[in-house]
Amino acid sequence: MVAAAALVPAVLPGLVPAVSAASREPVAADNGMVVSAHRLASTAGVEVLKRGGNAIDAAVAVAYALAVTYPEAGNIGGGGFMTIRLADGRETFIDFRETAPAAAGPTLYQDAAGKVIPGQSTRGYKAVGVPGTVAGLELALTRYGTRPRAELMAPAIALARDGFVLDSGDARFLASGAEDFARDPGSAAIFLNRGQPWPAGHRLVQSDLAAALALIARDGPAAFYTGPIAQRIVAASRANGGILAPGDFAAYQAVERQPITCEYRGWRIVSAPPPSSGGVVLCETLNILEGYPMAALGFHSAQGVHYEVEALRRAFHDRNTQLGDPAFVKLDVARFTDKGYAARQREGIAPDKATPSASLGLPTALPEGQSTTHVSIVDKAGNAVSLTYTLNDWFGARVTAPGTGILLNDEMDDFSAKPGVPNMFGLVEGSNNAIAPGKRPLSSMSPTIVTRDGRLAMVVGTPGGSHIPTGVLQVIRNVVDYGMDLAEAVEAPRIHAQWLPDEVAYERFALSPDTMAALSARGHQLVEMGYHNQIAAIVVGRPAAGPAAADDRPIGAPANGATARLYGVIDPRLPTGSAEGY
Ligand code: GLY
């Protein structure tokens, strides 16, 4: 292999590229880093850090700001998960996943003949789960934050009240929801200009949302769950065929849980437990891959992709047939993250032949959206937050409760509308994820933190529905196995596989024609895909995990308490985000 330095033309003596493929350098900073899907939200978070707030404070500010500047997925009408690692090594997880309303049951989206009615679980008020974001941010702030709620919400309130100027990325993204906004007067009044999308350069003012945020800032979750906001959402739901009731809001609780953990080649992964499948899929896949010489096989070699697809096939099969809300189904999660289990899974993987997905067994009974977004934050002390939250589909159910400015989720589609029938991600699931009152739908969100030798090394996550664990997995393996710089790891083209459909999806340029031919010869079905992920990631210490030069710091926060250099990258696949540090 030619060393990168040898490629530097002699006319540029001494200039050794910091990255070895055509890629930007990560954003570097010494004191704090925020990576999010919207530049104004990232700025709001960095300002909190500069004023001495910690990573949890910054996450609350960013999450509320995204609810204004990134209505595609930023939200207070949805839910999500926050993985936290404190500088002292404590790790925790805040679950603020939406719940099914009390009036929901397993056949909610089926007709009298038992057929799933298309669209009912994805558009309109009937698709809406009880939102968890306000409760979850409050729980995180109360237990681990340091700043008053009102201070952290002030930037979001100002952005909604005074508006912000749409850039071309914002305008393009908003325009993608225009057709559905036109059918919902509450959304049309805000997101459309007399029925047409707002152009770039327009200042988007959201007065109702500003008022709702100001109420929450003053009165806390009570304003949302038992006060005027709940009342308005319930009234809109009742007027439009929904089933939300005041009791659903009053009963909502965010929950603190233990994250899922596993080791991959000496790196420790801390990720989302059920009701997310993210940590299980990530850990099970990594455990299986650990038995193969992935680094030697090389990035996207036919053999390496074959093993990765086979590992994902098995992890997604377990996801879809076994997992669900732990308050409703008995789960032995440790079984899936056990190294011995992975070794037994490897025994069923032939090196030269794809396993037909159906041969793994179909679920006794059988669904997921993409309007998700991820925030990665590290503060000066080394506290880290990995936050993924969502409306499910882009712009959720595409309804805005009049008088609130709040776009509502369609998270009910993450339940299995009918076991055996694929959801919007083609995920086919079992009865463990059937709809029940108060139950949380199975998720794929994977807010992840990685440590090395007991020190914070990486914060990573992404939107993408069922593509979330595969996106996170590929960034981790690009860094760990292929020695990529963080920017290279995030920007490298991706593949995706998920048991059913039984196919290997690839981004353009991810696989060469001869690699594809070698995979086809093993029996894999190949299909080109568009972009599903927007990775937001931070590495600590230095931007790549490969061999260090003599004067390089090791990857991971320094053991001696000295400030670590932070490197942040936002995926360029979506046009609105930024990595900002100070
Ligand atoms: N709605 C996307 C997820 O929860 O994974």
Side-chain angles (χ1 to χ4, degrees):
M1 196 191 280
V2 184
L7 300 175
V8 179
V11 287
L12 298 172
L15 178 61
V16 177
V19 292
S20 53
S23 192
R24 306 162 301 167
E25 288 187 40
V27 173
D30 285 317
N31 299 303
M33 180 71 67
V34 178
V35 189
S36 89
H38 201 277
R39 61 204 176 277
L40 297 171
S42 297
T43 303
V46 169
E47 289 304 317
V48 170
L49 296 181
K50 283 184 186 164
R51 290 197 305 272
N54 70 11
I56 293 88
D57 297 323
V60 170
V62 173
Y64 279 114
L66 283 170
V68 178
T69 60
Y70 196 68
E72 295 83 349
N75 70 83
I76 56 175
F81 303 121
M82 189 188 294
T83 305
I84 299 173
R85 184 180 193 273
L86 300 172
D88 63 11
R90 277 180 294 157
E91 295 160 349
T92 190
F93 182 82
I94 308 290
D95 165 2
F96 53 101
R97 184 73 163 160
E98 299 91 327
T99 54
T107 57
L108 181 65
Y109 301 114
Q110 297 174 20
D111 63 18
K115 262 187 81 187
V116 175
I117 308 166
Q120 286 227 332
S121 62
T122 53
R123 293 287 183 271
Y125 284 89
K126 204 170 172 183
V128 180
V130 185
T133 297
V134 172
L137 297 179
E138 189 73 9
L139 184 64
L141 182 61
T142 312
R143 295 205 179 152
Y144 301 105
T146 67
R147 292 300 175 119
R149 180 198 318 117
E151 177 188 317
L152 301 174
M153 293 186 68
I157 295 169
L159 284 162
R161 182 194 56 221
D162 306 336
F164 67 99
V165 177
L166 301 175
D167 75 5
S168 59
D170 301 325
R172 219 168 80 207
F173 228 156
L174 270 181
S176 72
E179 211 176 301
D180 285 315
F181 296 150
R183 294 191 196 104
D184 176 56
S187 302
I190 301 162
F191 299 116
L192 296 179
N193 175 22
R194 294 192 200 95
Q196 295 305 309
W198 292 110
H202 169 72
R203 178 174 286 275
L204 184 68
V205 173
Q206 300 174 75
S207 312
D208 287 346
L209 184 57
L213 290 167
L215 265 185
I216 297 167
R218 193 189 71 192
D219 299 339
F224 190 88
Y225 290 99
T226 53
I229 300 175
Q231 285 159 16
R232 288 201 171 115
I233 296 175
V234 167
S237 173
R238 285 182 167 155
N240 293 284
I243 57 171
L244 292 166
D248 294 323
F249 281 77
Y252 186 83
Q253 297 280 333
V255 181
E256 185 165 7
R257 302 184 189 276
Q258 273 301 310
I260 292 248
T261 58
C262 59
E263 291 247 341
Y264 181 63
R265 303 188 205 277
W267 299 72
R268 186 161 172 278
I269 317 295
V270 184
S271 195
S276 182
S277 61
V280 167
V281 170
L282 195 55
C283 283
E284 185 175 336
T285 307
L286 288 170
N287 283 342
I288 295 173
L289 291 181
E290 206 174 34
Y292 298 114
M294 298 303 286
L297 290 175
F299 176 75
H300 287 191
S301 63
Q303 197 61 47
V305 170
H306 171 74
Y307 287 136
E308 191 166 314
V309 168
E310 292 304 317
L312 285 166
R313 190 191 311 281
R314 284 155 178 82
F316 270 95
H317 177 261
D318 284 340
R319 174 206 188 280
N320 293 12
T321 56
Q322 309 288 326
L323 301 186
D325 181 348
F328 286 73
V329 292
K330 208 167 153 0
L331 296 174
D332 178 12
V333 169
R335 175 180 151 223
F336 303 114
T337 57
D338 176 62
K339 298 276 184 201
Y341 181 66
R344 290 193 294 283
Q345 296 279 41
R346 278 194 298 273
E347 281 166 17
I349 297 175
D352 54 352
K353 205 166 178 318
T355 308
S357 284
S359 72
L360 298 181
L362 289 170
T364 47
L366 281 194
E368 202 161 350
Q370 301 223 20
S371 181
T372 300
T373 188
H374 183 80
V375 183
S376 289
I377 303 179
V378 178
D379 67 22
K380 194 175 168 65
N383 300 299
V385 168
S386 192
L387 162 69
T388 314
Y389 74 149
T390 186
L391 290 168
N392 195 31
D393 207 352
W394 294 115
F395 306 103
R398 306 208 172 183
V399 289
T400 304
T404 69
I406 299 173
L407 265 166
L408 294 161
N409 69 81
D410 64 329
E411 218 67 60
M412 293 296 286
D413 189 62
D414 276 358
F415 282 115
S416 187
K418 183 167 184 180
V421 175
N423 73 348
M424 73 165 79
F425 290 100
L427 285 171
V428 178
E429 294 176 355
S431 53
N432 281 356
N433 193 29
I435 305 171
K439 190 172 174 183
R440 287 158 147 83
L442 186 61
S443 169
S444 292
M445 290 187 283
S446 315
T448 298
I449 292 174
V450 181
T451 66
R452 172 96 188 163
D453 302 328
R455 297 179 297 172
L456 177 67
M458 200 186 308
V459 184
V460 55
T462 178
S466 57
H467 292 241
I468 293 174
T470 42
V472 171
L473 169 85
Q474 287 170 68
V475 173
I476 293 174
R477 56 91 149 134
N478 287 349
V479 170
V480 172
D481 288 331
Y482 305 129
M484 291 188 197
D485 162 281
L486 185 66
E488 294 164 340
V490 168
E491 294 174 12
R494 300 190 187 110
I495 59 153
H496 176 74
Q498 60 176 48
W499 175 48
L500 291 175
D502 190 348
E503 60 194 23
V504 181
Y506 61 94
E507 286 180 351
R508 204 165 164 227
F509 306 126
L511 302 172
S512 67
D514 57 0
T515 306
M516 288 198 265
L519 285 165
S520 299
R522 286 170 173 79
H524 295 286
Q525 187 76 32
L526 294 152
V527 293
E528 189 171 326
M529 67 175 179
Y531 298 150
H532 291 261
N533 300 122
Q534 185 187 35
I535 302 281
I538 300 171
V539 289
V540 183
R542 63 195 180 83
D551 58 346
D552 264 352
R553 303 181 205 189
I555 202 161
N560 61 8
T563 305
R565 200 151 171 76
L566 305 167
Y567 297 88
V569 175
I570 185 73
D571 201 321
R573 287 169 175 82
L574 287 178
T576 55
S578 72
E580 288 185 36
Y582 81 105

PDB file of all heavy atoms in Angstrom, residues 238-252:
ATOM      1  N   ARG A 238     -59.513  14.635  18.474  1.00  0.00           N
ATOM      2  CA  ARG A 238     -60.930  14.209  18.486  1.00  0.00           C
ATOM      3  C   ARG A 238     -61.680  14.732  17.267  1.00  0.00           C
ATOM      4  O   ARG A 238     -62.563  14.069  16.721  1.00  0.00           O
ATOM      5  CB  ARG A 238     -61.605  14.683  19.770  1.00  0.00           C
ATOM      6  CG  ARG A 238     -61.169  13.817  20.940  1.00  0.00           C
ATOM      7  CD  ARG A 238     -61.839  14.206  22.223  1.00  0.00           C
ATOM      8  NE  ARG A 238     -61.625  13.153  23.222  1.00  0.00           N
ATOM      9  CZ  ARG A 238     -61.640  13.335  24.531  1.00  0.00           C
ATOM     10  NH1 ARG A 238     -61.876  14.544  25.041  1.00  0.00           N
ATOM     11  NH2 ARG A 238     -61.435  12.335  25.342  1.00  0.00           N
ATOM     12  N   ALA A 239     -61.333  15.936  16.822  1.00  0.00           N
ATOM     13  CA  ALA A 239     -62.039  16.535  15.680  1.00  0.00           C
ATOM     14  C   ALA A 239     -61.626  15.902  14.356  1.00  0.00           C
ATOM     15  O   ALA A 239     -62.267  16.123  13.332  1.00  0.00           O
ATOM     16  CB  ALA A 239     -61.757  18.038  15.649  1.00  0.00           C
ATOM     17  N   ASN A 240     -60.527  15.096  14.376  1.00  0.00           N
ATOM     18  CA  ASN A 240     -59.984  14.605  13.104  1.00  0.00           C
ATOM     19  C   ASN A 240     -59.752  13.100  13.097  1.00  0.00           C
ATOM     20  O   ASN A 240     -58.840  12.606  12.442  1.00  0.00           O
ATOM     21  CB  ASN A 240     -58.662  15.328  12.801  1.00  0.00           C
ATOM     22  CG  ASN A 240     -58.870  16.798  12.513  1.00  0.00           C
ATOM     23  OD1 ASN A 240     -59.326  17.175  11.429  1.00  0.00           O
ATOM     24  ND2 ASN A 240     -58.558  17.640  13.495  1.00  0.00           N
ATOM     25  N   GLY A 241     -60.587  12.365  13.810  1.00  0.00           N
ATOM     26  CA  GLY A 241     -60.535  10.895  13.734  1.00  0.00           C
ATOM     27  C   GLY A 241     -59.463  10.252  14.581  1.00  0.00           C
ATOM     28  O   GLY A 241     -59.212   9.052  14.451  1.00  0.00           O
ATOM     29  N   GLY A 242     -58.796  11.018  15.459  1.00  0.00           N
ATOM     30  CA  GLY A 242     -57.765  10.435  16.319  1.00  0.00           C
ATOM     31  C   GLY A 242     -58.352   9.848  17.586  1.00  0.00           C
ATOM     32  O   GLY A 242     -59.558   9.967  17.846  1.00  0.00           O
ATOM     33  N   ILE A 243     -57.506   9.217  18.404  1.00  0.00           N
ATOM     34  CA  ILE A 243     -58.001   8.531  19.609  1.00  0.00           C
ATOM     35  C   ILE A 243     -57.295   9.030  20.873  1.00  0.00           C
ATOM     36  O   ILE A 243     -57.429   8.424  21.934  1.00  0.00           O
ATOM     37  CB  ILE A 243     -57.822   7.007  19.497  1.00  0.00           C
ATOM     38  CG1 ILE A 243     -56.342   6.657  19.254  1.00  0.00           C
ATOM     39  CG2 ILE A 243     -58.698   6.428  18.386  1.00  0.00           C
ATOM     40  CD1 ILE A 243     -56.057   5.163  19.362  1.00  0.00           C
ATOM     41  N   LEU A 244     -56.531  10.130  20.786  1.00  0.00           N
ATOM     42  CA  LEU A 244     -55.828  10.635  21.966  1.00  0.00           C
ATOM     43  C   LEU A 244     -56.835  11.178  22.979  1.00  0.00           C
ATOM     44  O   LEU A 244     -57.824  11.819  22.606  1.00  0.00           O
ATOM     45  CB  LEU A 244     -54.845  11.746  21.574  1.00  0.00           C
ATOM     46  CG  LEU A 244     -53.643  11.318  20.727  1.00  0.00           C
ATOM     47  CD1 LEU A 244     -52.951  12.536  20.119  1.00  0.00           C
ATOM     48  CD2 LEU A 244     -52.651  10.498  21.565  1.00  0.00           C
ATOM     49  N   ALA A 245     -56.564  10.907  24.273  1.00  0.00           N
ATOM     50  CA  ALA A 245     -57.443  11.385  25.355  1.00  0.00           C
ATOM     51  C   ALA A 245     -56.598  12.087  26.410  1.00  0.00           C
ATOM     52  O   ALA A 245     -55.389  11.814  26.521  1.00  0.00           O
ATOM     53  CB  ALA A 245     -58.187  10.201  25.969  1.00  0.00           C
ATOM     54  N   PRO A 246     -57.204  12.952  27.239  1.00  0.00           N
ATOM     55  CA  PRO A 246     -56.425  13.645  28.270  1.00  0.00           C
ATOM     56  C   PRO A 246     -55.666  12.681  29.176  1.00  0.00           C
ATOM     57  O   PRO A 246     -54.522  12.944  29.565  1.00  0.00           O
ATOM     58  CB  PRO A 246     -57.499  14.416  29.062  1.00  0.00           C
ATOM     59  CG  PRO A 246     -58.634  14.571  28.117  1.00  0.00           C
ATOM     60  CD  PRO A 246     -58.617  13.383  27.212  1.00  0.00           C
ATOM     61  N   GLY A 247     -56.288  11.519  29.490  1.00  0.00           N
ATOM     62  CA  GLY A 247     -55.645  10.547  30.373  1.00  0.00           C
ATOM     63  C   GLY A 247     -54.346  10.019  29.796  1.00  0.00           C
ATOM     64  O   GLY A 247     -53.423   9.655  30.533  1.00  0.00           O
ATOM     65  N   ASP A 248     -54.245   9.931  28.457  1.00  0.00           N
ATOM     66  CA  ASP A 248     -53.014   9.446  27.822  1.00  0.00           C
ATOM     67  C   ASP A 248     -51.854  10.389  28.129  1.00  0.00           C
ATOM     68  O   ASP A 248     -50.734   9.948  28.402  1.00  0.00           O
ATOM     69  CB  ASP A 248     -53.181   9.369  26.296  1.00  0.00           C
ATOM     70  CG  ASP A 248     -54.201   8.330  25.871  1.00  0.00           C
ATOM     71  OD1 ASP A 248     -54.261   7.264  26.511  1.00  0.00           O
ATOM     72  OD2 ASP A 248     -54.932   8.591  24.890  1.00  0.00           O
ATOM     73  N   PHE A 249     -52.137  11.683  28.082  1.00  0.00           N
ATOM     74  CA  PHE A 249     -51.088  12.679  28.355  1.00  0.00           C
ATOM     75  C   PHE A 249     -50.738  12.678  29.841  1.00  0.00           C
ATOM     76  O   PHE A 249     -49.573  12.675  30.215  1.00  0.00           O
ATOM     77  CB  PHE A 249     -51.540  14.067  27.895  1.00  0.00           C
ATOM     78  CG  PHE A 249     -51.399  14.268  26.415  1.00  0.00           C
ATOM     79  CD1 PHE A 249     -52.312  13.714  25.521  1.00  0.00           C
ATOM     80  CD2 PHE A 249     -50.336  14.997  25.897  1.00  0.00           C
ATOM     81  CE1 PHE A 249     -52.170  13.883  24.158  1.00  0.00           C
ATOM     82  CE2 PHE A 249     -50.180  15.169  24.528  1.00  0.00           C
ATOM     83  CZ  PHE A 249     -51.110  14.608  23.657  1.00  0.00           C
ATOM     84  N   ALA A 250     -51.788  12.643  30.682  1.00  0.00           N
ATOM     85  CA  ALA A 250     -51.552  12.693  32.135  1.00  0.00           C
ATOM     86  C   ALA A 250     -50.726  11.497  32.597  1.00  0.00           C
ATOM     87  O   ALA A 250     -49.934  11.585  33.538  1.00  0.00           O
ATOM     88  CB  ALA A 250     -52.881  12.747  32.863  1.00  0.00           C
ATOM     89  N   ALA A 251     -50.896  10.348  31.918  1.00  0.00           N
ATOM     90  CA  ALA A 251     -50.229   9.118  32.368  1.00  0.00           C
ATOM     91  C   ALA A 251     -48.797   8.997  31.842  1.00  0.00           C
ATOM     92  O   ALA A 251     -48.045   8.136  32.291  1.00  0.00           O
ATOM     93  CB  ALA A 251     -51.037   7.907  31.904  1.00  0.00           C
ATOM     94  N   TYR A 252     -48.389   9.836  30.887  1.00  0.00           N
ATOM     95  CA  TYR A 252     -47.088   9.627  30.235  1.00  0.00           C
ATOM     96  C   TYR A 252     -45.912   9.784  31.207  1.00  0.00           C
ATOM     97  O   TYR A 252     -45.842  10.741  31.965  1.00  0.00           O
ATOM     98  CB  TYR A 252     -46.863  10.577  29.040  1.00  0.00           C
ATOM     99  CG  TYR A 252     -45.571  10.172  28.368  1.00  0.00           C
ATOM    100  CD1 TYR A 252     -45.561   9.140  27.447  1.00  0.00           C
ATOM    101  CD2 TYR A 252     -44.358  10.722  28.762  1.00  0.00           C
ATOM    102  CE1 TYR A 252     -44.373   8.674  26.907  1.00  0.00           C
ATOM    103  CE2 TYR A 252     -43.162  10.270  28.226  1.00  0.00           C
ATOM    104  CZ  TYR A 252     -43.180   9.241  27.293  1.00  0.00           C
ATOM    105  OH  TYR A 252     -41.997   8.765  26.781  1.00  0.00           O
TER     106      TYR A 252
END
